[in-house]
Amino acid sequence: MQRIPLIQRRWTANHSGSMPLSGPLMDSFGRTHRSLRVSVTDRCNLRCTYCMPEEASFLPEKHLLSGRQMGEVVAVGVALGLDKIRLTGGEPLLRRDLVDIVHQLGQIRGIRDLSLTTNGILLRDLARPLRLAGLHRLTISLDTLNEGTFSRLSRRPGLDRVLEGIAAAKNAGFQGTKINAVILKGINETEIIPLADFARENNLALRFIESMPIGADPWDRQAMVSGPEIKKILEDMWGPLIPVPEQNPHAPAMDFHFADRPGRIGLIMSVTHPFCGQCDRLRLTADGKLRNCLFSLQETDLRDCLGSVTDTTGLTLRFRQSVWDKWEGHEINSARFLKPNRTMHAIGG
Ligand code: SAM
Ligand code: SF4
């Protein structure tokens, strides 16, 4: 039997058929793609231990896509059937022309959901302008309500500012705001219950994300507090968590409600319950590389296809090829797993 090099085995898409040249963005396993995460910068004003190194190096500003170039890529993606666009980073609120970018993307017909993920540090002053520019929804990351734990996890102070940002989002009229929390053993496990209380009191949907091997430090599976472990901690406190009947099969979170108290909890279990089979996501890095998986080892450079509004053939083909080459799944739980060169902040979470 011919030995296939390790990296090729991971990258084998199911190429028995031929790449569709029309219709929705379909990969070789029949998954239609609808969602694009656009990283607007790799810079950040925090240094979360699970996401990036303390001493990070960042892309030179001239390597970042301009707002106009992002609009060009998104418009082609939308013409190919993408209808969920999430702006992310790094910390997207550091991008000085962010409000203009949102406004520009808001003009593209066919986007059903235009959202943004932020650490909230700069949100107090930007929530209203972002809302007025046409942003539909916000997700705010918050791993703890304790300033000491916050500084330890994110290697910077700033909890008060995040809480002000959350209040500002509400005052600006954002509905359905979500909170993302990553829980690590011995660091912020004790925050699970306070975060759930905080989310319920403030009418926020709380999602716990399993820590993935995409940060700077060597990943320690033992340090991850898994979705099932979090579920048990919540159930020991408040009784059974019941799966919400109308689950979105493409959403990463499995959603639950409590039997006899208000509030929703989402569990994003990329490690213990991978959802690759239903994945409909692509990612665009801040320097114009299309990634068909968070854990991709290869990227498609879009930069040299940009600049022509009348001829989008090159961009269209690169979208199609990238999606067609998507592998079956991330293989975090396999001995073959290889960590990508970029860490989370440089990909776009
Ligand atoms: N800076 C923004 C923020 O923190 O919300 C947006 C970018 S951040 C990369 C997006 C999300 O990725 C955050 O909710 C963060 O908690 C999550 N994240 C970062 N590194 C992660 C990791 N190793 N495993 C799981 N989630 C991670
Ligand atoms: Fe920055 Fe977000 Fe990464 Fe934290 S998770 S370091 S806030 S990009």
Side-chain angles (χ1 to χ4, degrees):
M1 197 176 76
Q2 190 196 357
R3 277 178 71 91
I4 303 170
L6 194 62
I7 193 153
Q8 272 188 26
R9 251 192 291 148
R10 290 197 74 212
W11 267 99
T12 305
N14 172 19
H15 279 165
S16 51
S18 49
M19 183 177 88
L21 293 173
S22 61
L25 280 172
M26 179 91 79
D27 74 14
S28 66
F29 299 94
R31 294 170 294 197
T32 298
H33 286 63
R34 298 243 173 255
S35 158
L36 178 67
R37 299 202 171 182
V38 179
S39 171
V40 298
T41 178
D42 61 337
R43 283 168 199 267
C44 193
N45 41 10
L46 298 181
R47 294 285 183 279
C48 303
T49 53
Y50 48 76
C51 175
M52 68 190 288
E54 179 147 32
E55 302 297 332
S57 58
F58 300 110
L59 292 165
E61 206 143 320
K62 62 177 192 275
H63 289 190
L64 302 186
L65 291 189
S66 66
R68 189 188 52 74
Q69 289 173 317
M70 274 175 215
E72 219 180 310
V73 175
V74 171
V76 170
V78 170
L80 290 167
L82 303 179
D83 59 5
K84 280 186 78 177
I85 308 293
R86 175 173 294 275
L87 301 179
T88 182
E91 173 47 37
L93 270 51
L94 285 176
R95 176 101 188 204
R96 279 191 294 272
D97 56 349
L98 180 68
V99 172
D100 291 340
I101 293 173
V102 168
H103 181 73
Q104 190 189 340
L105 298 185
Q107 308 299 306
I108 299 173
R109 287 181 61 143
I111 299 181
R112 191 174 46 85
D113 186 24
L114 179 60
S115 61
L116 177 140
T117 305
T118 172
N119 62 27
I121 294 275
L122 299 173
L123 191 57
R124 189 191 64 188
D125 296 335
L126 279 167
R128 193 169 295 280
L130 286 170
R131 178 96 182 116
L132 292 174
L135 189 71
H136 300 163
R137 290 189 307 120
L138 278 170
T139 296
I140 304 166
S141 300
L142 177 68
D143 303 325
T144 172
L145 292 164
N146 177 294
E147 177 61 58
T149 310
F150 184 97
S151 305
R152 201 170 151 208
L153 257 177
S154 53
R155 301 190 185 109
R156 297 279 191 279
L159 174 62
D160 287 352
R161 295 174 71 187
V162 179
L163 297 179
E164 282 174 7
I166 293 173
K170 186 175 176 197
N171 291 336
F174 280 104
Q175 308 270 323
T177 301
K178 292 179 181 157
I179 297 291
N180 276 356
V182 175
I183 305 293
L184 299 176
K185 281 205 176 103
I187 310 268
N188 63 338
E189 275 164 305
T190 51
E191 294 296 303
I192 294 171
I193 300 293
L195 282 170
D197 265 333
F198 173 82
R200 188 178 53 82
E201 282 159 17
N202 292 284
N203 199 20
L204 300 160
L206 174 62
R207 291 129 39 106
F208 291 101
I209 312 178
E210 288 181 344
S211 131
M212 297 177 281
I214 195 85
D217 298 334
W219 182 61
D220 178 5
R221 181 182 284 266
Q222 304 312 317
M224 173 187 79
V225 183
S226 69
E229 287 170 316
I230 291 170
K231 184 164 178 277
K232 178 163 185 329
I233 289 169
L234 292 165
E235 289 185 325
D236 286 349
M237 186 76 187
W238 288 307
L241 276 168
I242 297 155
V244 169
E246 68 282 6
Q247 305 270 350
N248 172 357
H250 300 295
M254 207 178 277
D255 286 321
F256 297 86
H257 66 81
F258 291 98
D260 54 6
R261 80 181 229 134
R264 269 196 181 200
I265 300 288
L267 298 175
I268 303 184
M269 299 184 278
S270 327
V271 178
T272 60
H273 294 75
F275 36 85
C276 305
Q278 280 76 44
C279 180
D280 69 348
R281 259 178 306 285
L282 296 170
R283 287 180 157 81
L284 178 68
T285 65
D287 57 344
K289 310 286 198 304
L290 194 61
R291 296 176 62 87
N292 57 23
C293 172
L294 178 59
F295 295 95
S296 295
L297 301 173
Q298 292 171 359
E299 315 182 311
T300 303
D301 194 355
L302 302 182
R303 292 195 75 106
D304 60 323
C305 294
L306 295 171
S308 169
V309 251
T310 47
D311 184 4
T312 56
T313 324
L315 265 183
T316 301
L317 268 177
R318 290 204 188 172
F319 260 107
R320 288 205 179 278
Q321 192 66 56
S322 171
V323 172
W324 187 244
D325 288 343
K326 182 162 173 151
W327 56 20
E328 195 169 7
H330 58 49
E331 306 215 35
I332 288 178
N333 297 303
S334 127
R336 295 190 296 270
F337 177 73
L338 292 173
K339 199 170 140 184
N341 288 336
R342 291 182 190 249
T343 46
M344 185 67 132
H345 77 101
I347 297 174

